[in-house]
């Protein structure tokens, strides 16, 4: 019986919070700017779980700007443009092997949607969408050799928190998956949004 009351309490609390007048993101139009650290990696860890496992990575810089259409307090549409610049990390364990590397130098453009919990001060959110990456991509591993300057599709997936009294400061972990190049880029970034209405 206690479990039923506890479950009822949790459900009631979530309902009250979801209908609370405090909004995690305001409605209207905003500009958001982000900057952070980027790390590109192969989609596959070579020889996973074996003694000769190889995790090929590159690191660098990330920045992005978004035009935000805040439709409701929990849903927004976000066209974006950004830049990812990573270069290969040196791996001293690969001295007797070819120099495996993952390298991304691309301009990003696309659109995302955001679902955000309407919670004051600390509001978790999730985003996804689709976009195009224009630039050069290199994935050289034991099983893949991709090296092109091209326009490739990418899929953004973002998880983060909108913090502060107006929820206009953001901390997020983002992933940009480039299936054709057999690589993905993970990003740790901070952002700030301001209204333009």
């Amino acid at each position: 019986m206690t479990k039923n009351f506890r479950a009822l309490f949790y459900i009631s609390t979530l309902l009250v919070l979801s209908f609370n007048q405090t909004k995690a993101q305001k409605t209207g139009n905003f500009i958001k700017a982000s900057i952070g650290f980027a790390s590109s990696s192969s989609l596959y860890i070579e020889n996973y779980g074996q003694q000769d496992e190889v995790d090929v990575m590159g690191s660098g810089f990330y920045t992005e700007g978004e035009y935000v259409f805040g439709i409701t307090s929990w849903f927004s549409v976000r066209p974006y443009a950004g830049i990812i610049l990573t270069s290969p990390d040196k791996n001293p364990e690969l001295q007797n092997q070819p120099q495996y590397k993952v390298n991304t130098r691309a301009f990003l453009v696309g659109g995302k949607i955001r679902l955000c919990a309407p919670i004051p001060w600390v509001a978790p959110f999730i985003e996804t969408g689709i976009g195009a990456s224009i630039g050069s991509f290199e994935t050289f591993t034991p099983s893949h050799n991709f090296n092109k300057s091209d326009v490739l599709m990418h899929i953004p997936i973002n998880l983060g928190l909108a913090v502060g009294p107006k929820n206009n400061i953001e901390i997020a972990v983002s992933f940009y998956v480039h299936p054709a190049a057999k690589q993905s880029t993970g990003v740790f970034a901070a952002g700030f949004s301001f209204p333009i209405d």
Side-chain angles (χ1 to χ4, degrees):
M1 194 64 133
T2 306
K3 289 182 181 179
N4 291 338
F5 284 120
R6 188 177 298 157
L8 185 61
F9 173 75
Y10 290 143
I11 291 170
S12 300
T13 303
L14 286 173
L15 286 173
V16 168
L17 287 174
S18 66
F19 292 112
N20 193 335
Q21 292 300 312
T22 306
K23 297 183 177 181
Q25 67 181 12
K26 306 267 187 216
T27 56
N29 299 335
F30 297 83
I31 295 286
K32 187 190 112 181
S34 301
I35 190 167
F37 171 79
S39 178
S40 295
S41 65
S42 170
L43 285 179
Y44 310 100
I45 297 174
E46 304 294 332
N47 302 320
Y48 182 73
Q50 299 176 15
Q51 188 173 7
D52 58 344
E53 178 180 308
V54 178
D55 192 8
V56 184
M57 301 187 75
S59 58
F61 172 77
Y62 162 87
T63 187
E64 184 178 274
E66 299 177 6
Y67 190 93
V68 181
F69 297 98
I71 297 169
T72 68
S73 64
W74 56 272
F75 179 78
S76 61
V77 177
R78 298 167 170 258
Y80 64 90
I83 295 174
I84 293 176
L85 302 171
T86 65
S87 56
D89 291 341
K90 302 297 181 194
N91 189 344
E93 297 176 4
L94 301 178
Q95 292 178 1
N96 298 327
Q97 299 176 7
Q99 186 55 52
Y100 301 133
K101 54 188 168 182
V102 174
N103 188 15
T104 308
R105 298 183 158 297
F107 175 74
L108 312 172
V109 63
K112 300 181 282 192
I113 59 169
R114 174 184 286 189
L115 297 176
C116 186
I119 301 172
W121 285 91
V122 179
F125 63 83
I126 184 169
E127 298 175 344
T128 190
I130 193 164
S133 301
I134 305 158
S136 64
F137 306 87
E138 183 176 16
T139 308
F140 179 50
T141 68
S143 62
H144 296 94
N145 188 359
F146 184 93
N147 188 358
K148 282 188 179 179
S149 294
D150 207 345
V151 178
L152 301 179
M153 180 198 76
H154 69 257
I155 302 166
I157 302 167
N158 304 337
L159 301 169
L161 297 172
V163 299
K166 297 180 181 179
N167 295 106
N168 58 344
I169 299 169
E170 296 180 7
I171 301 165
V173 176
S174 305
F175 300 94
Y176 294 87
V177 181
H178 295 93
K182 303 290 192 267
Q183 67 173 247
S184 66
T185 302
V187 173
F188 180 74
F192 182 78
S193 60
F194 51 91
I196 56 173
D197 288 344

